[in-house]
């Protein structure tokens, strides 16, 4: 039977089977909760969830929500805030967007729209209860969470978060010491709107940023 005609046998597919994370991300990218079942006013545009990551990512950036530019590009931090965040972390774009090492998971995956003054609305309230636990469980290798802004700090730190952003970020050393698997480092949003805050709090660039760069370099070079 060694010479049997094998041409009719089903050939194994070379396409890898979708992982749980692939399926979760596909579900998120198809999500319409804020249009079809909103808590209050529906999202004023079609959902475009923006999220990146992998099961091997060691660092997770927990941002706020996409703004208009990111809503258009579909890629997080493709704006001056992203340039500033990459400078804070001491890494280039190629490293920042390497999903095998860095996940980017905002507190609301879709651009929430603008308020009456033209500012970004807060992240949609529907997103965290729908998705966040599952996303965090799908990335078990995350060792460091950069909690960017108050919303991320409140979720990732719970009662450990201070009354406001300044109090929480100023407490970064004891938060790092008190958190593990993953450690959490609170940061302000890198938006130009926070340039005044950065000037008023020089310890941020003098002390926190060097520590951030050391942590990022350490987690990026750590072997599997
Ligand atoms: S913000 Fe979150 S919950 Fe709302 S539509 Fe987008 S992915 Fe779904």
């Amino acid at each position: 039977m060694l010479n049997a005609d094998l041409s009719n046998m089903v050939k194994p597919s070379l396409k890898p089977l979708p992982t749980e994370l692939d399926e979760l991300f596909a579900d998120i990218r198809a999500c319409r909760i804020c249009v079809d079942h909103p808590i209050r006013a529906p999202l004023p545009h079609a959902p475009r969830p923006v999220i990146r990551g992998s099961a091997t990512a060691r660092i997770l950036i927990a941002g706020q929500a996409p703004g208009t530019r990111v809503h258009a590009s579909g890629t997080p931090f493709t704006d001056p805030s992203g340039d500033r965040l990459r400078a804070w972390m001491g890494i280039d774009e190629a490293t920042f967007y390497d999903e095998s090492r860095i996940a980017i998971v905002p507190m609301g995956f879709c651009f929430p729209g603008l308020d009456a003054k033209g500012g970004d609305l807060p992240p949609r309230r529907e997103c965290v209860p729908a998705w966040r636990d599952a996303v965090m469980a799908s990335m078990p290798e995350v060792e460091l969470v950069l909690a960017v802004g108050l919303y991320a700090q409140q979720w990732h730190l719970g009662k450990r978060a201070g009354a406001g952003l300044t109090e929480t970020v100023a407490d970064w050393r004891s938060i790092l010491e008190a958190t593990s698997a993953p450690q959490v480092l609170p940061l302000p949003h890198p938006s130009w709107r926070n340039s005044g805050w950065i000037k008023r709090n020089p310890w941020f660039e003098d002390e926190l940023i060097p520590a951030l760069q050391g942590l990022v370099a350490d987690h990026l070079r750590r072997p599997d």
Side-chain angles (χ1 to χ4, degrees), residues 28-35 43 47-50 107-111 124-128 130-131:
I28 289 171
R29 290 184 176 121
C31 179
R32 290 185 51 83
I33 292 173
C34 294
V35 173
L43 200 65
R48 189 179 194 192
V50 176
M107 299 308 293
F109 300 150
C110 296
F111 171 50
R124 293 291 303 202
R125 289 168 50 196
E126 296 87 341
C127 210
V128 163
W131 300 115

Side-chain angles (χ1 to χ4, degrees), residues 31-112:
C31 179
R32 290 185 51 83
I33 292 173
C34 294
V35 173
D36 296 338
H37 305 286
I39 292 175
R40 289 193 185 143
L43 200 65
H45 45 257
R48 189 179 194 192
V50 176
I51 178 172
R52 296 173 66 86
S54 72
T56 59
R58 294 272 177 80
I59 297 172
L60 184 143
I61 300 168
Q64 192 150 304
T68 47
R69 285 206 206 184
V70 172
H71 180 60
S73 72
T75 302
F77 290 107
T78 48
D79 53 15
S81 294
D83 294 337
R84 182 182 253 176
L85 181 56
R86 286 182 280 277
W88 285 354
M89 295 171 71
I91 58 176
D92 59 17
E93 278 197 25
T95 307
F96 186 83
Y97 290 117
D98 179 355
E99 285 182 281
S100 70
R101 299 197 284 174
I102 298 182
I104 304 176
V105 183
M107 299 308 293
F109 300 150
C110 296
F111 171 50

